Amino acid sequence: MGELVTLDGFPLTGITRDGEWKRLGDLEGWWDSPEPKRVNAPRTRGDGNFRTKIDYEPRLITYNGRVISKNHDYLHQAAGIITALPFRGEKKLLVQGHGPTQWATVDPRGKVKIDLETDTYLNFQIPLEAIDPFKYGESYSVRGSSSAPASLYQRGTVEAWPVVTVSGAASGGYTLTLNGKSVTVTRALTSGSPHTIDFRTGIIRVGGAVSGGALATANFSPVNPGMPQNMAITSGSFTVKYFDTYS
C-alpha cells in the first residue's frame, strides 16, 4: 500500500484535479512521541523529586509538501485549498501506508506558507497542533450486559479510554467493572434515558445532560493495549466505544 496523507479528508499525497501532491522530507512530529510534562515536586530533605503523574504536551506536527499542476490556474486553486484546510481547527489528519492507519485531531499552529516556485509548481508548509497528543486507529463498539460481559481488546501501544453508554432500568443504580476497578453509579437508570460515562474525564451524562453527584465509586480503568479484558455490569446493558490508541 502506498502512502496516503489526508487533512480534513483532502489528500495531500497522490493525484487530484489540481495536480500531483507529494510529501517533502519527514512528517515532523508525527513519528515522535509527544513531550512529557509533570509537576515538579522536589524532596526538600532528600535526593531527587517525589514521583508525580506524567502527562503529555500537545503534539506539534509540520507537514511539508509540493504540488505540480498542469497549468498556472490549477496551481493557484491548489494554493487556495492548502491555506483553507486547517482553518478553524478540529480537522482529522490521517496517515496511511506506514503500518496501522493512524489519525489525530489537529488545529492550526501558525500560518500556512506557500512558495510559488514556478508557474506550475509550489512548495507548502502546514504547521499543526494536536491538543490531544495521542494518535488513534481502528474504532470499536462492543456490547455487554449483566449476563454477558463485553470482551475488549485494542491493538495500540498505550491505554485507550472508553466511553460507555448504559441502558435499561435499574432503580438502585449499577456497577461497571474493568480490570478489577469499579465505577458505581447511584443515579437510577430508567428506560429511555441512557447514561453515558466518559472514562477519561469521569463525566457522566444522563439523557445527554451532565449529572453531578451520580458516582459513589470512581475507579476508572482504561482498555490496556495488547491483552484481552472484560467489562461487566451488575444491572442493565451497555455499549463500550474506544479506539486503538498510540503515543
Side-chain angles (χ1 to χ4, degrees):
M1 178 186 297
E3 179 183 73
L4 175 64
V5 180
T6 65
L7 179 58
D8 197 26
F10 187 87
L12 297 178
T13 57
I15 297 175
T16 71
R17 172 182 176 275
D18 307 287
E20 181 179 357
W21 299 68
K22 182 180 180 180
R23 176 169 62 88
L24 298 179
D26 195 14
L27 183 50
E28 181 183 334
W30 184 258
W31 312 116
D32 304 327
S33 70
E35 290 282 350
K37 65 178 179 180
R38 70 193 315 171
V39 175
N40 188 26
R43 296 178 184 268
T44 55
R45 296 187 179 182
D47 298 323
N49 290 341
F50 290 102
R51 178 165 294 281
T52 57
K53 181 184 177 185
I54 299 173
D55 294 308
Y56 287 90
E57 299 285 356
R59 181 181 296 275
L60 305 181
I61 304 161
T62 302
Y63 187 92
N64 292 288
R66 171 175 293 171
V67 183
I68 301 174
S69 295
K70 65 181 181 180
N71 61 46
H72 192 59
D73 286 342
Y74 279 140
L75 190 70
H76 275 277
Q77 289 181 35
I81 291 170
I82 294 165
T83 56
L85 279 174
F87 198 47
R88 298 294 186 187
E90 293 191 84
K91 307 297 185 180
K92 186 174 184 178
L93 177 68
L94 180 144
V95 178
Q96 189 176 45
H98 302 283
T101 298
Q102 299 177 353
W103 58 270
T105 301
V106 295
D107 295 335
R109 182 165 54 90
K111 72 174 184 178
V112 175
K113 186 177 180 181
I114 303 289
D115 291 322
L116 297 166
E117 304 292 346
T118 73
D119 281 348
T120 57
Y121 92 79
L122 62 79
N123 293 330
F124 67 92
Q125 183 181 84
I126 307 177
L128 300 166
E129 176 183 37
I131 58 173
D132 175 352
F134 298 102
K135 297 179 289 187
Y136 299 95
E138 186 174 347
S139 63
Y140 302 91
S141 181
V142 185
R143 292 185 58 82
S145 67
S146 56
S147 60
S151 179
L152 309 180
Y153 186 88
Q154 63 117 343
R155 296 176 176 80
T157 57
V158 296
E159 65 269 13
W161 291 98
V163 174
V164 182
T165 300
V166 182
S167 57
S171 59
Y174 53 89
T175 297
L176 288 161
T177 304
L178 175 62
N179 295 323
K181 295 183 178 181
S182 296
V183 176
T184 299
V185 179
T186 55
R187 176 78 177 262
L189 178 66
T190 58
S191 180
S193 185
H195 294 184
T196 301
I197 308 170
D198 187 329
F199 272 44
R200 182 193 291 271
T201 63
I203 293 175
I204 178 171
R205 289 178 169 81
V206 178
V210 174
S211 178
L215 298 174
T217 306
N219 295 318
F220 294 100
S221 173
V223 180
N224 293 310
M227 64 178 69
Q229 53 226 276
N230 292 327
M231 178 179 283
I233 193 169
T234 54
S235 184
S237 61
F238 63 97
T239 301
V240 190
K241 294 185 177 181
Y242 60 99
F243 298 90
D244 289 338
T245 306
Y246 304 86
S247 61

